[in-house]
Amino acid sequence: MAKRRPNGGGTITKRSDGRYQGAAYVTDTDGNRVRKYVYGRTWDEANEKLGKLQDQERNGIPVPSRSWTLGEWLTYWLEHIVAPEREHNTYVKYESKVRLYLAPHLGKKPLVKLTPAQIRAFMAALAREKVGASARFEVLRVLRNALNRAMREELVTRNVALLVDMPKVTKDRGTAWNAREAIVFLRSVRAHRLYAACVLVLVLGLRRSEVLGLRWQDIDFEAGHFTPVKQVQRVKGVGLVLKDLKTESSQAVLPLPDFCARVLEERRELQELERKIAGEHWAQEPGHDLVFSAEHGGMIDPVGFSRTFDRLVKRAGVRRITVRLARHTCGTLLAFLKVHPKVAQAILRHSQISMTMDVYTHVVGDSQREAVGMLAELLEDPLIG
């Protein structure tokens, strides 16, 4: 006697090639009712597949309205989701990982049939091609992000890339300056027009894009705090742009220590002098009112700032570090400046005061007593040049 399925359970028929075909009406991602087919070598196999299909329907999971390849989905994701919603630099990074690695190796794979084994084989192939661990880490992270969005769009039921272990990356960030090195550097650059910018990087731990995007209207000298809300970035095909910071947490109100307030006041006087010297050549877009402007009023390129910082480090004769690493000197200098731990906690964005006190205790117990005298001289030194 032929096996039967209950009413509404779809149909299963035997094909001329001996296989079994199951069919049922389900909803696709466009909201249409469509007839979907599954196949099996036996009636039981076809019945199991048909049951899974209908379980998805009952759970409200639609079937894809088209058969995407991974390459097609990645192209769509970049163009219609990443480009409009994310920072341009993020798009550029994602696009390069898709173009150089994901599309050539996995682009033709059906999106719904992608397996963890295929992704592991792909990652192993990149390792054999001598692609660095950090690059492989970023490639897998991009794939995970793309498949997460495919899940939200209900094109796949799970993110198989999450089942693949991330490559182990050894992060050699180097060592930030100690207090003596930082103060030697600041004394050396005291007469430079971007001295105040270097102070904000070292003492407040601001990113270079945050420093260059700081506006006078963001600073409240009377209340003793500031709120970074903008950043300077270079966008391909456009040039330098002043953009909002990425997250609300980046735009938190931060305390402004007295030392930083004094160097910013000096910076304002210097900028007024530069404005007078530039005369009619001074140009700054309305609403910008940047603290750290170029000599004729425009924005400073973040890459150019890093190059200037490198030259100043070399001239100071201290150990060479990057702007990014210099930010991590922040906690040490706050302790030497005798900034109150609660204020330092806010600047360092520590969730617990104990984290801040760990930094302070280490500094107080340090043998670099010479730095204290050097810092005192720096604080008393008037603007030079």
Side-chain angles (χ1 to χ4, degrees):
M1 182 177 177
K3 298 180 181 180
R4 295 179 59 87
R5 288 182 60 80
N7 290 337
T11 61
I12 297 178
T13 57
K14 190 173 184 178
R15 293 161 46 98
S16 59
D17 61 4
R19 292 191 303 158
Y20 287 82
Q21 172 184 287
Y25 280 96
V26 292
T27 306
D28 68 11
T29 50
D30 292 332
N32 300 317
R33 295 289 291 175
V34 295
R35 202 173 193 197
K36 190 73 175 178
Y37 298 93
V38 295
Y39 303 93
R41 287 174 293 180
T42 64
W43 189 97
D44 288 334
E45 183 180 349
N47 182 57
E48 182 180 357
K49 291 181 178 179
L50 192 59
K52 289 181 179 179
L53 180 65
Q54 292 186 308
D55 283 343
Q56 290 183 14
E57 173 74 6
R58 284 189 288 271
N59 291 329
I61 303 174
V63 298
S65 57
R66 56 170 291 187
S67 299
W68 295 81
T69 64
L70 179 61
E72 290 172 335
W73 168 248
L74 290 172
T75 300
Y76 176 88
W77 174 68
L78 286 170
E79 181 179 350
H80 297 283
I81 298 172
V82 178
E85 297 180 3
R86 305 296 294 271
E87 293 289 336
H88 178 74
N89 289 347
T90 300
Y91 169 82
V92 170
K93 181 172 67 175
Y94 285 8
E95 189 277 334
S96 67
K97 300 300 184 290
V98 169
R99 172 170 43 84
L100 296 175
Y101 305 109
L102 291 166
H105 289 83
L106 297 173
K108 295 182 180 180
K109 303 291 184 184
L111 180 62
V112 296
K113 295 183 179 179
L114 190 65
T115 66
Q118 290 172 332
I119 298 175
R120 289 191 191 96
F122 159 63
M123 296 299 290
L126 293 186
R128 289 194 298 271
E129 294 171 8
K130 306 300 182 183
V131 177
S134 59
R136 284 183 279 124
F137 183 96
E138 291 298 326
V139 168
L140 185 53
R141 185 164 68 172
V142 169
L143 180 58
R144 285 182 171 187
N145 289 343
L147 293 182
N148 273 337
R149 188 57 187 236
M151 284 182 62
R152 288 177 58 188
E153 302 278 334
E154 298 181 323
L155 300 178
V156 295
T157 57
R158 63 173 182 165
N159 186 342
V160 293
L162 293 175
L163 303 177
V164 179
D165 294 334
M166 297 293 280
K168 292 182 179 180
V169 179
T170 302
K171 296 183 179 180
D172 183 12
R173 297 182 180 273
T175 305
W177 282 332
N178 58 35
R180 187 182 188 285
E181 290 172 313
I183 295 168
V184 166
F185 171 76
L186 288 178
R187 290 181 67 184
S188 172
V189 303
R190 184 69 178 86
H192 196 274
R193 64 183 301 272
L194 293 180
Y195 166 68
C198 295
V199 168
L200 297 192
V201 169
L202 289 170
V203 178
L204 299 182
L206 295 183
R207 299 175 180 87
R208 66 178 184 182
S209 59
E210 292 175 330
V211 170
L212 300 179
L214 190 64
R215 303 168 302 172
W216 290 113
Q217 65 207 63
D218 301 328
I219 305 172
D220 188 335
F221 287 99
E222 290 186 7
H225 61 67
F226 71 105
T227 309
V229 295
K230 297 289 185 179
Q231 61 180 327
V232 174
Q233 287 190 351
R234 178 172 290 280
V235 175
K236 185 177 181 181
V238 178
L240 294 177
V241 295
L242 190 64
K243 307 181 71 172
D244 291 336
L245 290 173
K246 292 182 180 180
T247 62
E248 291 184 3
S249 62
S250 299
Q251 302 179 12
V253 177
L254 298 175
L256 186 66
D258 291 342
F259 176 51
C260 297
R262 286 202 297 273
V263 298
L264 284 172
E265 291 283 14
E266 291 175 354
R267 169 62 196 160
R268 182 152 57 182
E269 294 176 8
L270 178 59
Q271 190 180 58
E272 284 301 317
L273 178 60
E274 291 177 338
R275 189 194 302 268
K276 291 178 182 178
I277 294 174
E280 62 181 15
H281 299 293
W282 182 268
Q284 195 170 99
E285 293 185 26
H288 279 197
D289 196 23
L290 296 170
V291 174
F292 301 105
S293 54
E295 293 181 358
H296 291 91
M299 289 178 281
I300 296 177
D301 190 333
V303 174
F305 177 77
S306 291
R307 290 171 180 163
T308 298
F309 184 84
D310 287 342
R311 290 195 297 270
L312 293 174
V313 169
K314 184 176 181 180
R315 191 174 73 183
V318 293
R319 178 168 50 89
R320 185 179 179 185
I321 62 174
T322 63
V323 177
R324 177 175 296 189
L325 191 56
R327 294 176 53 218
H328 299 292
T329 306
C330 173
T332 301
L333 283 182
L334 289 174
F336 270 88
L337 286 166
K338 301 188 186 315
V339 174
H340 193 280
K342 289 296 291 184
V343 176
Q345 179 187 4
I347 293 173
L348 295 169
R349 304 178 198 189
H350 286 165
S351 58
Q352 297 178 339
I353 189 65
S354 59
M355 299 171 65
T356 310
M357 292 310 299
D358 284 344
V359 176
Y360 270 43
T361 301
H362 170 75
V363 171
V364 171
D366 202 287
S367 60
Q368 303 172 71
R369 301 302 177 188
E370 179 187 0
V372 177
M374 296 169 61
L375 182 59
E377 292 177 12
L378 184 65
L379 294 176
E380 295 171 1
D381 185 26
L383 180 64
I384 300 174

